[in-house]
Amino acid sequence: MASHSQFGKSRSNLSNMSDANEPGRPSVPSKVKFSRRTNSGRYVSYSRDDLDSELSAADYANYTVHIPPTPDNQIMDPSISQKVEEQYVSNSMFTGGFNSATKAHLMDKVIETETTHPQMAGSKGSSCAIPGCDAKVMSDGRGQDLLPCECDFKICRDCFVDAVKTNGGICPGCKEQYKNTELTDLVDDYGQQRLPGPEGSSGAKMERRLSLMKSTSKSVLMRSQTGDFDQNRWLFETSGTYGYGNAFWTKDGNLGSSKDGDGDGEGVEMQDFMNKPWRPLTRKLKIPAAIISPYRLLIFIRVVVLALFLTWRINHQNEDAIWLWGMSVVCELWFAFSWLLDQLPKLCPINRATDLQVLKEKFETPTPSNPTGKSDLPGLDVFVSTADPEKEPPLVTANTILSILAAEYPVEKLSCYVSDDGGALLTFEAMAEAASFANIWVPFCRKHVIEPRNPESYFSLKRDPYKNKVKSDFVKDRRRVKREYDEFKVRINGLPDSIRRRSDAYNAREEIKAMKMQRQNRDDELLEPVKIPKATWMADGTHWPGTWLTPGTDHSKGDHAGIIQVMLKPPSDDPLHGVSEGFLDLTDVDIRLPLLVYVSREKRPGYDHNKKAGAMNALVRASAIMSNGAFILNLDCDHYIYNSEAMREGMCFMMDRGGDRLCYVQFPQRFEGIDPSDRYANHNTVFFDVNMRALDGLMGPVYVGTGCLFRRIALYGFDPPRSKEHSSGCCSCCFPRRKKKSHVSEENRALRMDDDEDEEMSLSLVPKKFGNSTFLIDSIPVAEFQGRPLADHPSVKNGRPPGALTIPRELLDASTVAEAIAVISCWYEDKTEWGTRIGWIYGSVTEDVVTGYRMHNRGWKSVYCVTKRDAFRGTAPINLTDRLHQVLRWATGSVEIFFSRNNALLASPKMKFLQRIAYLNVGIYPFTSIFLIVYCFLPALSLFSGQFIVQTLNVTFLIYLLIISITLVLLALLEIKWSGISLEEWWRNEQFWLIGGTSAHIAAVLQGLIKVVAGYEVAFTLTSKSGGDDVDDEFAELYIVRWSSLMIPPITIMMVNLIAIAVGISRTIYAVIPQWSKLIGGVFFSFWVLAHLYPFAKGLMGRRGRTPTIVYVWSGLVAITISLLWVSIYPPAGTTGIGGSFSFP
């Protein structure tokens, strides 16, 4: 793509070229609409320009109108005014969307209970004591009132400024002169002021955002490798004082010395700093040769034996049953091909390890380039997606949110975004309750180093909770927090009834008001029944802008406005320690909380909202404008952080040498609440511990939908840096591609699409790719720069200077949140590349695999991070029906991938051959079900017909069968050895492979073909996250039998094979010349099928020990009757005695 300079243009240039003015496309709302709440709870909208005439109204007392500076009105320091506006923004709910103005609704409260944390939306503060003003008193980071006078007269910021400028600095309370009239001194607790940057850049928000991206004739990489850092001083230096990055280069090039070079500090040359030994953040742990070498040898041997066996089978036909022989050979050929696709990518498995101590030393330890020791880690945005509070309980989502807020990552660098695709008030208030409870839970976790930091899981631990706890007040603190959490659960579980009762009460009040108005207007006329919309009401007595309990116009699941609510405003830049007073002793504990934002994208009829993928793309755009973290971690609502340092472990890979070429770090999925025997292979350990580790040795694991740390610019569709150096296809050694000459250095072209060699991409094309938001476009190079590894060694390419990310994050203002509302509107993606090349890819129910495939196809790499302590844990459906529907969705997505342009056969030369094979197997594996079902019926057909797949069970056939079986077992044992799984887990996976292959996979193939041929869209069924209703049994859900059409093929296979065994035994017993070899062959393969289907049969029987005995009796009688009936219909000719003629009495 273009160099960084293309993004450095002013907003006006891009806005003129945007496609906002194209016909049929609405324009982005340019103003924030504030609104007055009427008595009925509705809002009357006003623009910011209309507020001048409304200053006397109490509704607008909390908003500041910025008047141009005059001699009587001087603008205060921008950082102070922005802090105050940020408080107002965090207390407002922003809504808007298609053909509607963006509104900011001031929230008196977001939940019924009182909130006290200063970052919490709707937090209560003292009101100004000036008559006629109900604005809030200025407060510090702890929420304590800032009172400028010793008489403790409560006064807001605006009234204080008026008193200083127009009243001679006289306190309205005691009528004495203010001793301190400087507002900046009063709010010093907000953190130290930033000095103006170079060239007056402090006056413009975007200038400061882009100040890190300015470049000179040499790139950062060239300067880091040559040691010539003089041209880079502007990035840090501000007239000899600490400025951006808090790094200071002296004129003589020394670090840590005085300005004249002879101070007390020890002079450290930058060259000395660069020559320090390199300490890697990660390392590869190769599989021992004693394990991997025999493993590869066995694969080669089995391939040769399979080839010889299939050749022998083709050459030795069964003339007596050619149809049986033909079906078996075709199935065996496909099984060999499918096994080869699955086995080849496993040739190069590896393990990895991280070093968190080195990460801390590099990014959070005082160094010459970072004297204060502030965290130099990049920003991280965490996405949590939920869609239906009935299937995804709010308590589960709230616990996930709490585990994120308590994670061990710099608070000021961490942001959490909750996507509520259902727009439910229940989810909104549950998130607000979670934010309120986080005021207690997060400091408690930090103080006592709690693991895990999901309160539900922590308080449910079976082990001793007091082990390794050294602080004397732990028992007291835990007991108090446990009591608070129990009350928190009661509030969460009571929210549905609370919202319903509240809404009924407000609706009844509205009906009474409407009836009174009707009586006043019509004195003697016959009154008609009053009809008012059954609205859903928020805690502050206003209409909920999302989905109502009783759906109405503009308030249903597919038709509602976009909503953004800052639940927890951004924390201060410096640590904020608690006090010993109150609930817990938090004297040395940082009580700040990360940014928490509730987002519900706009939905309107007639638009394809693209399900989860569309919701994730909306979060990508909104977060880019509000926090713009260089990395994104996405989690399902039921997957919580089990290891509080998991984010740091993932960041070790991204910040290591060469980490700028990683598109994502995938963590394994681990599950809780699964039955000890793992009947339906819910843990899926063979995939997560065998296949994914093997793919890590190639270009990296596939993306599996949750627990994945993304590089933001990789989601934007850019090529990896230095892609020309690594674009080696499978034939590049024999047919090298001609390289085009480029006059742009590779380091300056980190943002590039489609191998475009032009130095600058046309500015008119940028909005056509990303949309017409200049905020979003301007944030792209900033995210790219922040995601680079440290240039602390000459071997680091495309790095950034140490200390560059220690600047405070930008403050939220109304225009920023209003822009975020615009980019989550339903029309924003029109005529853009969102969903086709940028962000999560649309067109498949398994959007995760397609999204990861697109990144690998552009040359990016990924890594697999397996931590000693599980990084994340979630829930999985343990009920048979739910499990089959989950597998059906995955298989349907694979079929869609096979019939789309994402088929690995069409991959680019940048993808390695074995990686291409792995993705090809992803799209092909459901088709194995066709051959698997046929093969499962072959033993029964053999027993019914008295024939077998071979003419006779000769020695050659048995030797081949024995070698193939032995090599399979040995490969399984070696996989168990290098992956760490157990033999039982491997066998459970084999069993469910056949269960899923004969049920969900064949249904997926049929649905995929119907969609491709007829264009019929398959409905998506959301997997339930709730447990069983039996509180006495933890696994009650396991025994519930819910009928599904997916069960018909496995049941048929079992019944047919059981009957066939009975018929075969009866036929052989009554035969004149019993053919025991054919019976043994047929019965052996029938038992092979039944052994794999045993968990399925056990699931059909329901709860253990509850199957009536009569079921077994009738099953036996039916089987015997059918076998005798078969012998009666086809009796052996010319037989006597027990083997002779048989007839019913």
Side-chain angles (χ1 to χ4, degrees):
M1 196 177 170
S3 61
H4 299 155
S5 59
Q6 76 173 64
F7 294 99
K9 305 293 183 181
S10 64
R11 292 179 181 174
S12 59
N13 294 338
L14 281 174
S15 61
N16 293 334
M17 300 178 185
S18 68
D19 53 356
N21 298 325
E22 294 183 6
R25 178 156 190 177
S27 59
V28 179
S30 59
K31 295 182 179 180
V32 182
K33 291 280 187 177
F34 296 98
S35 54
R36 168 186 294 181
R37 190 176 69 237
T38 62
N39 294 332
S40 64
R42 298 176 178 84
Y43 285 92
V44 179
S45 299
Y46 286 85
S47 68
R48 195 180 280 272
D49 298 334
D50 298 329
L51 297 181
D52 290 335
S53 59
E54 300 290 341
L55 289 178
S56 59
D59 300 74
Y60 300 104
N62 284 347
Y63 290 95
T64 302
V65 179
H66 296 286
I67 304 174
T70 63
D72 296 330
N73 177 56
Q74 296 295 322
I75 298 178
M76 68 179 63
D77 186 273
S79 62
I80 306 304
S81 60
Q82 289 175 3
K83 276 289 185 181
V84 177
E85 183 175 4
E86 183 181 60
Q87 180 67 38
Y88 298 154
V89 169
S90 65
N91 285 332
S92 300
M93 173 186 290
F94 287 76
T95 60
F98 181 73
N99 286 338
S100 60
T102 302
K103 304 175 184 178
H105 309 322
L106 182 62
M107 302 285 290
D108 295 334
K109 58 180 180 178
V110 293
I111 52 177
E112 298 289 350
T113 56
E114 183 176 350
T115 58
T116 57
H117 196 278
Q119 292 178 235
M120 177 71 183
S123 58
K124 298 298 181 181
S126 303
S127 298
C128 180
I130 299 294
C133 177
D134 63 350
K136 302 302 179 184
V137 175
M138 295 177 292
S139 60
D140 59 10
R142 294 183 176 84
Q144 299 176 354
D145 295 341
L146 289 175
L147 305 178
C149 186
E150 294 179 353
C151 68
D152 292 342
F153 182 80
K154 296 182 178 180
I155 189 170
C156 67
R157 180 189 64 86
D158 294 334
C159 293
F160 174 72
V161 173
D162 291 340
V164 172
K165 294 182 178 181
T166 63
N167 198 27
I170 302 299
C171 173
C174 62
K175 307 303 180 183
E176 298 290 335
Q177 186 80 22
Y178 280 124
K179 294 183 178 180
N180 188 1
T181 58
E182 293 295 329
L183 188 62
T184 56
D185 295 336
L186 295 175
V187 294
D188 186 59
D189 288 337
Y190 278 133
Q192 65 178 17
Q193 283 188 263
R194 297 184 299 273
L195 296 179
E199 302 177 2
S201 61
S202 63
K205 181 178 182 180
M206 287 309 302
E207 281 296 320
R208 191 172 71 83
R209 293 183 67 174
L210 298 176
S211 63
L212 296 178
M213 303 309 304
K214 297 178 181 178
S215 60
T216 57
S217 59
K218 291 187 178 182
S219 65
V220 175
L221 173 61
M222 295 296 293
R223 289 190 292 269
S224 65
Q225 291 178 335
T226 60
D228 181 11
F229 281 77
D230 293 339
Q231 298 183 23
N232 200 30
R233 290 179 181 173
W234 65 267
L235 184 62
F236 303 92
E237 185 178 358
T238 55
S239 301
T241 60
Y242 290 106
Y244 296 108
N246 289 329
F248 173 60
W249 310 113
T250 58
K251 292 184 178 181
D252 56 2
N254 292 337
L255 296 175
S257 59
S258 61
K259 191 170 184 178
D260 54 1
D262 55 356
D264 296 333
E266 181 182 357
V268 182
E269 295 288 342
M270 177 53 66
Q271 192 64 36
D272 296 336
F273 177 73
M274 298 296 289
N275 288 336
K276 287 184 178 180
W278 169 258
R279 297 187 63 189
L281 295 170
T282 63
R283 64 183 186 275
K284 290 183 180 180
L285 304 176
K286 294 185 177 181
I287 307 298
I291 297 176
I292 196 64
S293 297
Y295 181 74
R296 292 170 178 167
L297 180 61
L298 279 173
I299 293 176
F300 175 75
I301 293 174
R302 196 165 195 266
V303 169
V304 173
V305 173
L306 280 175
L308 295 175
F309 171 71
L310 292 174
T311 304
W312 181 87
R313 289 277 285 123
I314 294 173
N315 293 331
H316 293 75
Q317 302 178 6
N318 184 2
E319 301 295 341
D320 297 335
I322 195 69
W323 57 275
L324 195 62
W325 169 86
M327 287 193 297
S328 63
V329 168
V330 171
C331 292
E332 288 163 2
L333 285 171
W334 180 267
F335 292 152
F337 172 69
S338 177
W339 174 84
L340 200 60
L341 290 181
D342 181 69
Q343 200 67 45
L344 284 180
K346 298 180 182 178
L347 290 173
C348 307
I350 61 171
N351 293 319
R352 298 181 186 269
T354 59
D355 195 332
L356 295 178
Q357 184 61 34
V358 176
L359 182 76
K360 183 176 181 61
E361 292 176 3
K362 284 192 175 186
F363 292 90
E364 296 178 326
T365 303
T367 60
S369 56
N370 182 17
T372 61
K374 285 187 177 180
S375 176
D376 200 19
L377 289 171
L380 176 60
D381 296 337
V382 184
F383 294 171
V384 179
S385 58
T386 181
D388 190 344
E390 295 182 0
K391 293 186 176 181
E392 299 169 327
L395 182 61
V396 174
T397 308
N399 274 273
T400 300
I401 300 300
L402 290 169
S403 70
I404 295 171
L405 298 179
E408 287 295 336
Y409 199 79
V411 183
E412 66 276 8
K413 303 293 182 73
L414 184 62
S415 304
C416 180
Y417 294 83
V418 182
S419 171
D420 178 18
D421 222 28
L425 179 59
L426 175 58
T427 305
F428 175 85
E429 295 200 1
M431 296 306 98
E433 289 284 359
S436 179
F437 180 69
N439 186 30
I440 302 171
W441 174 251
V442 174
F444 170 71
C445 291
R446 291 172 181 165
K447 177 181 178 181
H448 297 289
V449 195
I450 299 299
E451 293 286 357
R453 302 196 174 181
N454 175 324
E456 182 68 24
S457 299
Y458 172 70
F459 290 120
S460 301
L461 289 176
K462 300 295 190 296
R463 58 179 173 81
D464 183 11
Y466 309 111
K467 187 178 181 180
N468 299 327
K469 300 302 179 184
V470 296
K471 294 192 176 182
S472 58
D473 56 350
F474 170 73
V475 176
K476 179 185 65 175
D477 290 351
R478 185 182 185 276
R479 189 177 295 116
R480 291 178 177 178
V481 174
K482 177 65 167 60
R483 184 168 58 249
E484 289 292 324
Y485 178 67
D486 291 338
E487 296 177 2
F488 166 75
K489 287 202 298 185
V490 171
R491 292 196 300 270
I492 292 288
N493 294 329
L495 279 178
D497 292 336
S498 175
I499 294 173
R500 189 174 293 106
R501 288 196 303 267
R502 180 204 308 153
S503 299
D504 291 342
Y506 278 115
N507 288 329
R509 186 196 66 178
E510 291 297 301
E511 289 182 0
I512 295 173
K513 288 184 179 180
M515 292 176 63
K516 289 182 179 178
M517 293 294 296
Q518 193 179 41
R519 291 193 186 97
Q520 294 176 1
N521 297 334
R522 302 179 181 180
D523 295 334
D524 299 328
E525 297 180 13
L526 183 62
L527 298 179
E528 299 178 356
V530 178
K531 295 182 179 180
I532 64 169
K534 299 295 183 180
T536 300
W537 296 74
M538 294 187 289
D540 65 341
T542 59
H543 285 177
W544 168 243
T547 302
W548 287 354
L549 298 177
T550 304
T553 305
D554 295 333
H555 295 284
S556 60
K557 283 190 175 181
D559 184 14
H560 62 78
I563 307 170
I564 292 182
Q565 171 69 60
V566 180
M567 292 290 185
L568 292 171
K569 71 176 185 179
S572 59
D573 186 51
D574 297 319
L576 185 65
H577 294 143
V579 295
S580 59
E581 302 176 0
F583 190 72
L584 301 173
D585 184 4
L586 305 175
T587 305
D588 298 323
V589 181
D590 189 357
I591 63 173
R592 294 177 301 165
L593 300 176
L595 171 67
L596 176 61
V597 183
Y598 170 90
V599 179
S600 181
R601 59 178 173 146
E602 182 192 19
K603 287 189 173 182
R604 298 300 178 190
Y607 284 85
D608 185 1
H609 302 293
N610 296 294
K611 302 172 183 173
K612 180 181 177 181
M616 298 304 291
N617 284 339
L619 285 185
V620 171
R621 297 190 295 271
S623 63
I625 291 173
M626 298 184 68
S627 58
N628 197 29
F631 298 96
I632 294 172
L633 173 66
N634 87 290
L635 297 173
D636 287 344
C637 64
D638 62 325
H639 271 71
Y640 69 91
I641 298 179
Y642 188 74
N643 182 353
S644 61
E645 294 191 336
M647 299 176 183
R648 291 178 175 269
E649 300 235 20
M651 206 59 66
C652 286
F653 293 101
M654 292 295 192
M655 294 290 102
D656 204 6
R657 181 170 51 190
D660 57 333
R661 291 184 51 80
L662 297 180
C663 55
Y664 60 81
V665 176
Q666 178 66 61
F667 294 85
Q669 292 186 21
R670 307 300 187 197
F671 303 101
E672 294 178 334
I674 296 177
D675 55 298
S677 63
D678 193 12
R679 179 185 297 177
Y680 305 125
N682 290 100
H683 284 299
N684 215 357
T685 51
V686 172
F687 174 76
F688 287 113
D689 291 317
V690 178
N691 297 69
M692 297 287 272
R693 288 177 192 261
L695 289 176
D696 199 14
L698 305 177
M699 292 184 68
V702 297
Y703 167 43
V704 295
T706 183
C708 189
L709 180 66
F710 282 99
R711 184 178 299 275
R712 184 180 285 272
I713 62 164
L715 282 172
Y716 286 159
F718 293 103
D719 294 337
R722 307 181 301 283
S723 59
K724 293 299 181 182
E725 303 174 9
H726 299 81
S727 59
S728 56
C730 58
C731 302
S732 59
C733 56
C734 302
F735 303 99
R737 299 174 61 187
R738 295 183 61 185
K739 296 183 178 181
K740 300 179 181 179
K741 293 183 179 180
S742 175
H743 58 280
V744 183
S745 62
E746 180 66 30
E747 300 79 23
N748 285 336
R749 299 176 65 246
L751 297 178
R752 174 176 53 198
M753 283 186 176
D754 296 323
D755 295 330
D756 186 13
E757 295 293 340
D758 296 334
E759 180 177 2
E760 291 192 6
M761 186 178 68
S762 174
L763 289 177
S764 61
L765 297 180
V766 178
K768 293 184 181 298
K769 290 180 178 291
F770 295 94
N772 55 11
S773 171
T774 56
F775 278 71
L776 176 61
I777 295 171
D778 291 340
S779 70
I780 295 174
V782 179
E784 190 276 332
F785 177 81
Q786 293 178 350
R788 297 180 182 182
L790 285 183
D792 57 352
H793 195 269
S795 61
V796 178
K797 298 182 179 180
N798 195 37
R800 60 174 171 85
L805 301 186
T806 57
I807 59 175
R809 78 159 78 197
E810 297 165 2
L811 303 177
L812 286 179
D813 55 20
S815 62
T816 301
V817 185
E819 186 74 6
I821 283 287
V823 299
I824 65 172
S825 300
C826 57
W827 52 262
Y828 185 82
E829 294 183 355
D830 292 350
K831 302 179 183 179
T832 68
E833 294 188 358
W834 285 98
T836 57
R837 179 186 175 87
I838 301 173
W840 271 257
I841 307 301
Y842 302 152
S844 174
V845 295
T846 52
E847 71 288 331
D848 44 7
V849 177
V850 177
T851 302
Y853 166 80
R854 290 288 186 88
M855 296 180 186
H856 285 138
N857 203 32
R858 289 193 293 268
W860 290 94
K861 293 184 178 181
S862 60
V863 297
Y864 196 51
C865 181
V866 182
T867 57
K868 292 183 180 179
R869 178 183 176 86
D870 294 344
F872 310 101
R873 283 193 178 180
T875 59
I878 63 174
N879 180 264
L880 176 59
T881 307
D882 292 338
R883 175 69 165 140
L884 290 178
H885 279 96
Q886 183 186 57
V887 175
L888 172 63
R889 183 171 67 87
W890 295 343
T892 303
S894 295
V895 175
E896 292 173 347
I897 291 172
F898 182 79
F899 287 110
S900 69
R901 59 190 292 247
N902 299 308
N903 192 316
L905 294 174
L906 308 177
S908 71
K910 296 180 180 180
M911 184 176 290
K912 292 183 179 180
F913 176 73
L914 291 182
Q915 188 80 16
R916 189 189 303 244
I917 294 297
Y919 273 112
L920 183 62
N921 186 44
V922 170
I924 284 181
Y925 82 87
F927 295 95
T928 305
S929 61
I930 300 174
F931 305 91
L932 186 60
I933 286 182
V934 173
Y935 210 73
C936 287
F937 279 112
L938 286 182
L941 295 176
S942 175
L943 291 170
F944 281 137
S945 63
Q947 302 295 329
F948 195 53
I949 58 177
V950 292
Q951 191 80 31
T952 58
L953 291 176
N954 54 24
V955 177
T956 305
F957 176 78
L958 293 177
I959 290 177
Y960 275 128
L961 191 62
L962 183 63
I963 295 176
I964 292 173
S965 301
I966 290 176
T967 53
L968 177 64
V969 173
L970 291 177
L971 284 173
L973 292 176
L974 288 175
E975 284 184 357
I976 289 171
K977 189 69 175 178
W978 61 255
S979 65
I981 65 175
S982 65
L983 183 60
E984 182 183 7
E985 290 172 330
W986 180 86
W987 172 238
R988 284 283 183 257
N989 180 80
E990 292 294 308
Q991 288 180 313
F992 197 79
W993 170 77
L994 192 141
I995 295 172
T998 56
S999 57
H1001 292 177
I1002 187 65
V1005 172
L1006 296 176
Q1007 289 183 355
L1009 293 175
I1010 291 174
K1011 181 179 180 180
V1012 172
V1013 176
Y1016 177 75
E1017 183 70 25
V1018 180
F1020 167 67
T1021 302
L1022 185 65
T1023 305
S1024 177
K1025 306 299 191 300
S1026 58
D1029 298 329
D1030 192 347
V1031 296
D1032 297 330
D1033 193 340
E1034 183 181 357
F1035 309 112
E1037 189 77 11
L1038 180 68
Y1039 313 116
I1040 299 176
V1041 180
R1042 303 189 186 100
W1043 175 253
S1044 171
S1045 58
L1046 298 177
M1047 299 178 178
I1048 295 177
I1051 291 176
T1052 305
I1053 290 173
M1054 285 193 303
M1055 295 295 295
V1056 170
N1057 276 275
L1058 287 172
I1059 295 173
I1061 291 174
V1063 170
I1065 293 175
S1066 301
R1067 175 188 296 276
T1068 304
I1069 292 176
Y1070 295 118
V1072 178
I1073 304 177
Q1075 297 182 357
W1076 294 103
S1077 62
K1078 294 183 178 180
L1079 174 66
I1080 292 174
V1083 171
F1084 174 79
F1085 282 106
S1086 289
F1087 272 115
W1088 176 86
V1089 173
L1090 295 175
H1092 282 75
L1093 290 174
Y1094 172 73
F1096 178 83
K1098 195 173 182 180
L1100 291 179
M1101 290 188 295
R1103 186 176 295 276
R1104 293 167 292 185
R1106 294 190 180 181
T1107 304
T1109 307
I1110 193 64
V1111 173
Y1112 299 103
V1113 174
W1114 277 105
S1115 299
L1117 291 176
V1118 170
I1120 294 173
T1121 303
I1122 293 177
S1123 63
L1124 293 177
L1125 181 62
W1126 181 275
V1127 175
S1128 177
I1129 296 174
Y1130 298 100
T1135 57
T1136 59
I1138 192 172
S1141 59
F1142 175 84
S1143 60
F1144 287 102

